[in-house]
Amino acid sequence: MLRATAKLLTVLNSETEPGQISLALAFSLIAGLTPFWSLHNLLVLLIVLLLRVNLSAFLLGTAFFSGVAYLLDPSFHRLGLAVLMAPSLEGLWTSLYNSTLWRIERFNNSIVMGSLLASLVLFVPTVLGFNWAIRKYRDRVLAKVKKLRVVQALTATRFFQMYRSYSNWGTGS
C-alpha cells in the first residue's frame, strides 16, 4: 500500500502530461470495474499499449478499480439485468448470442453487461475529472510543497541528487 502510494505520487509529480495520466486512469476504470479476463479488456490493453498513456497509472488504477468493483457488483448486476431483460433489446441480444465472438465476450452475464455499461458511461467524465484534479494538484499542492524550506533543503543535498540519478536509470531520462 505504501509502495503504491509512493508510485502514485511519483507519477503525479513527474513531468508526464496530465492528459496521459487521466487517460490511463480512465482506461483502468474499464479494466478494473469489469471482469479482467474479458475480450473487451484485451482491446483496452491493446489501446493502452498503442496510445501514449502512462502505464504506471494504468496498472495502479486497474488495481484500485478492481477493489472498487467488488463493492459495486450488486449495482452492476441490477443494471446489467435491467438491460438484458429489456423487451425492446431482446432481438439484439438473441442475434449477438448466436455469434461466437459475442458469446466469448460473455455479454449475457449481468455483471459483465452492467459493469461494462457503467465504465463506458463514466469514461469521459473520468478523463475530464482526473485531468482537472491533476492540474489543480500540480498548481496548488505541489507548488506549495516545493516551496517548503525542508523540501528545498532535502532536494539540495548530495544524497538526494545521487538518489535521483539512480532512480532515473531505468527510465532513460
Side-chain angles (χ1 to χ4, degrees), residues 57-127:
F58 175 75
L59 295 174
L60 286 171
T62 301
F64 173 76
F65 288 121
S66 293
V68 171
Y70 285 109
L71 300 173
L72 297 176
D73 272 350
S75 300
F76 292 151
H77 170 69
R78 282 190 295 257
L79 175 65
L81 198 60
V83 170
L84 289 171
M85 298 295 283
S88 60
L89 298 173
E90 188 175 316
L92 174 67
W93 303 139
T94 303
S95 65
L96 290 178
Y97 190 76
N98 289 329
S99 169
T100 305
L101 181 70
W102 289 103
R103 223 176 304 150
I104 291 172
E105 174 60 21
R106 297 182 307 150
F107 74 93
N108 56 337
N109 182 318
S110 60
I111 292 178
V112 172
M113 177 61 78
S115 61
L116 183 60
L117 281 176
S119 61
L120 290 176
V121 167
L122 292 173
F123 184 82
V124 172
T126 301
V127 171

Side-chain angles (χ1 to χ4, degrees), residues 153-170:
L154 284 174
T155 56
T157 62
R158 185 176 174 159
F159 177 74
F160 182 80
Q161 300 300 327
M162 287 174 43
Y163 166 75
R164 187 167 216 168
S165 67
Y166 288 127
S167 66
N168 288 336
W169 272 5

Side-chain angles (χ1 to χ4, degrees), residues 27-89:
F27 280 121
S28 72
L29 177 83
I30 296 173
L33 290 184
T34 60
F36 189 74
W37 299 111
S38 301
L39 196 59
H40 64 270
N41 278 339
L42 283 176
L43 180 65
V44 167
L45 186 61
L46 180 69
I47 291 171
V48 164
L49 293 175
L50 290 177
L51 293 178
R52 193 176 167 103
V53 298
N54 189 292
L55 286 178
S56 296
F58 175 75
L59 295 174
L60 286 171
T62 301
F64 173 76
F65 288 121
S66 293
V68 171
Y70 285 109
L71 300 173
L72 297 176
D73 272 350
S75 300
F76 292 151
H77 170 69
R78 282 190 295 257
L79 175 65
L81 198 60
V83 170
L84 289 171
M85 298 295 283
S88 60
L89 298 173

Side-chain angles (χ1 to χ4, degrees), residues 127-155:
V127 171
L128 297 175
F130 277 121
N131 204 2
W132 177 83
I134 292 167
R135 288 183 192 280
K136 291 296 179 189
Y137 167 78
R138 287 183 176 173
D139 288 345
R140 294 185 179 169
V141 177
L142 187 60
K144 286 184 181 177
V145 168
K146 283 184 176 178
K147 289 181 182 175
L148 292 175
R149 288 184 186 255
V150 173
V151 173
Q152 289 176 347
L154 284 174
T155 56

